[in-house]
Amino acid sequence: MENSTITTGVRQNRSTKIRFQYEDDDLELDQDETIEEAATGSSNLEEDSAMCEPDDSILGSDKTSADYYFDSYSHFGIHEEMLKDVVRTKTYQNVIYKNSFLFKDKVVLDVGAGTGILSLFCAKAGAKHVYAVECSQMADMAQEIVKVNGFSSVITVLKGKIEEIELPVGQVDIIISEWMGYFLLYENMLNTVLYARDKWLVSNGLVLPDKASLYLTAIEDAEYKEDKIEFWNNVYGFDMSCIRKQSMMEPLVDTVDQNQIVTNSQLLKTMNISKMTAGDASFTAPFKLVAERDDYIHALVAYFDVSFTNCHKLTGFSTGPKSRATHWKQTVLYLEEVLTICQGENIVGSMTVAQNRKNPRDVDITLKYSLSGRRCLVSRTQSYKM
Ligand code: SAH
């Protein structure tokens, strides 16, 4: 993802941080350089002008970039990224192939089928029939892919929104979906899965995956906070700290090195997808993070795991900093001031997560935290919007 050039997808979040590697030190921004010094640097004109043009090569012939902006899942780039996330895709494949007894002669609904990959796994594992529902233009590709691979008699692709389509059957035995967004809940596709569950799933039916948990930990991140947040205090000698305020409110999606972790990890919330209601995705959860060493803390970091508990062997994956990286990375919430913490001291507080009222696909996060340590006394509330 760090090398990705396509930025139209929702999962290729606007807030994703790209850590630039400057090969040429001359390109580094020197905050204190004089007008004369600044003027001598190369302006790199050719590249700059190209940046403003939409890249037609990534668009289909009858599509404009605006279409893709509003319908990001229609472009193959986002599906390529998801399919190449082997932690994600292999886990689903293993769950399905190694538990084919669950699928044998069952009717399956694939909520948000994309390229149809999960439907193909299910068909191969022996499902009686699979309904692959996809609302983006990718549904046409899924249809073609199903045909080319010889599964037309088992998989029916339906193009449309789950909330609007009519299924040719009244009930399904299994609902499978890969609905998770950044910070688990960004994009809010979980509601779509719950809608499908309540409308079509038989009473003893399965939802895969059936558990998702959100966790919180704390990290040292001086270098990157300086680069992404404090940067705005002095830009070529000008005070742009009004943008700093905005940058503080926007959680950053990036991979965190496990050596940056200073505290334990706290489970915030476990969602039981088979039983929960849409309202359960909004919650307030308390936390207590205990320092495992003396260090500074610049940010709290959220991540999630999902599991398939109905399998022969409990299966799942984590998106945490100690696990192999996924395209979800982690979600970094910077703290207004740097905390100095000593081993054994703890940050206590709560996190409130709620759907944004204006745009239900966005998530509002409120963080309350306090530390009363030997070196640091802090009590604060901060708000973020994803
Ligand atoms: N199942 C695929 C794609 C997962 S991404 C895979 O695992 O690779 C989620 C997909 O759900 C996207 O393609 C998106 O367009 C689709 N989607 C999101 N909301 C939807 C809805 N309400 N109805 C139908 N499809 C939806």
Side-chain angles (χ1 to χ4, degrees):
M1 179 118 168
E2 254 85 355
N3 298 319
S4 171
T5 50
I6 302 158
T7 53
T8 47
V10 177
R11 281 171 195 242
Q12 285 154 328
N13 193 315
R14 56 193 142 73
S15 62
T16 293
K17 302 189 289 190
I18 297 167
R19 289 174 196 251
F20 288 107
Q21 290 275 310
Y22 290 111
E23 278 169 25
D24 183 348
D25 281 343
D26 291 346
L27 291 176
E28 290 234 46
L29 173 59
D30 179 353
Q31 305 283 23
D32 298 322
E33 72 186 349
T34 63
I35 290 176
E36 291 75 23
E37 283 165 347
T40 56
S42 154
S43 67
N44 201 6
L45 245 187
E46 262 175 84
E47 269 180 43
D48 283 351
S49 56
M51 270 169 61
C52 307
E53 305 289 329
D55 182 358
D56 290 335
S57 65
I58 63 166
L59 304 177
S61 54
D62 56 346
K63 286 260 151 197
T64 67
S65 53
D67 289 327
Y68 282 109
Y69 182 81
F70 292 112
D71 186 12
S72 59
Y73 283 106
S74 292
H75 189 270
F76 64 82
I78 202 163
H79 296 278
E80 179 179 353
E81 191 194 16
M82 291 189 290
L83 293 169
K84 285 181 176 170
D85 181 340
V86 290
V87 172
R88 180 200 88 108
T89 312
K90 268 272 165 202
T91 302
Y92 276 86
Q93 187 186 43
N94 282 339
V95 162
I96 298 166
Y97 285 3
K98 292 189 177 166
N99 296 278
S100 54
F101 69 94
L102 290 175
F103 295 86
K104 197 116 202 84
D105 300 323
K106 295 284 164 56
V107 175
V108 180
L109 172 61
D110 180 357
V111 173
T115 54
I117 186 71
L118 305 184
S119 296
L120 291 162
F121 290 156
C122 294
K124 214 170 162 177
K128 182 161 88 187
H129 206 90
V130 186
Y131 294 96
V133 182
E134 172 56 46
C135 62
S136 77
Q137 301 300 328
M138 194 47 64
D140 300 335
M141 292 292 117
Q143 178 79 63
E144 177 91 20
I145 291 163
V146 164
K147 194 171 150 204
V148 163
N149 287 279
F151 285 102
S152 295
S153 59
V154 186
I155 302 173
T156 304
V157 177
L158 300 164
K159 188 176 181 177
K161 285 200 170 127
I162 282 281
E163 294 81 356
E164 292 164 9
I165 51 126
E166 281 193 32
L167 265 196
V169 289
Q171 288 189 316
V172 300
D173 303 303
I174 297 176
I175 287 178
I176 194 157
S177 184
E178 197 282 84
W179 52 269
M180 296 81 74
Y182 290 131
F183 187 69
L184 185 63
L185 297 167
Y186 179 64
E187 287 185 64
N188 197 18
M189 207 187 139
L190 176 57
N191 274 358
T192 299
V193 175
L194 301 180
Y195 175 93
R197 180 198 69 186
D198 294 344
K199 189 163 180 183
W200 293 298
L201 191 66
V202 290
S203 58
N204 58 347
L206 295 180
V207 184
L208 301 173
D210 62 323
K211 289 252 163 67
S213 299
L214 195 65
Y215 298 83
L216 194 67
T217 189
I219 61 163
E220 186 285 329
D221 203 19
E223 204 181 320
Y224 217 60
K225 191 186 182 205
E226 196 61 35
D227 184 35
K228 292 298 292 184
I229 309 282
E230 310 308 345
F231 164 77
W232 297 108
N233 292 331
N234 177 359
V235 181
Y236 295 88
F238 299 100
D239 180 342
M240 296 195 183
S241 54
C242 52
I243 299 181
R244 180 191 181 278
K245 275 192 203 135
Q246 295 182 337
S247 75
M248 278 295 299
M249 289 190 68
E250 206 170 283
L252 287 168
V253 174
D254 200 7
T255 46
V256 165
D257 190 300
Q258 58 171 310
N259 294 323
Q260 293 176 260
I261 301 170
V262 179
T263 67
N264 64 320
S265 183
Q266 165 85 55
L267 170 67
L268 290 175
K269 174 91 176 169
T270 294
M271 296 180 198
N272 180 340
I273 319 301
S274 307
K275 296 211 174 94
M276 69 183 289
T277 63
D280 296 336
S282 297
F283 58 88
T284 297
F287 62 80
K288 180 179 172 183
L289 300 170
V290 185
E292 288 164 353
R293 62 174 187 237
D294 297 353
D295 210 334
Y296 298 109
I297 287 172
H298 300 88
L300 300 191
V301 172
Y303 61 91
F304 63 89
D305 63 24
V306 293
S307 48
F308 302 77
T309 69
N310 295 299
C311 296
H312 178 56
K313 229 173 70 185
L314 183 113
T315 316
F317 63 84
S318 168
T319 66
K322 291 183 180 170
S323 303
R324 186 169 161 190
T326 70
H327 78 286
W328 286 285
K329 304 181 178 180
Q330 288 92 38
T331 302
V332 182
L333 307 158
Y334 283 107
L335 303 181
E336 195 57 55
E337 64 228 281
V338 183
L339 310 184
T340 309
I341 201 163
C342 302
Q343 186 174 9
E345 291 178 352
N346 49 60
I347 307 167
V348 291
S350 66
M351 181 185 269
T352 301
V353 177
Q355 259 180 39
N356 184 269
R357 284 212 198 114
K358 272 197 210 139
N359 183 356
R361 297 234 170 238
D362 289 348
V363 183
D364 291 329
I365 303 166
T366 308
L367 204 57
K368 286 190 183 168
Y369 59 92
S370 59
L371 165 64
S372 44
R374 280 183 286 144
R375 300 268 180 84
C376 190
L377 256 178
V378 174
S379 189
R380 244 187 204 284
T381 301
Q382 283 183 239
S383 301
Y384 305 84
K385 185 162 171 281
M386 278 205 87

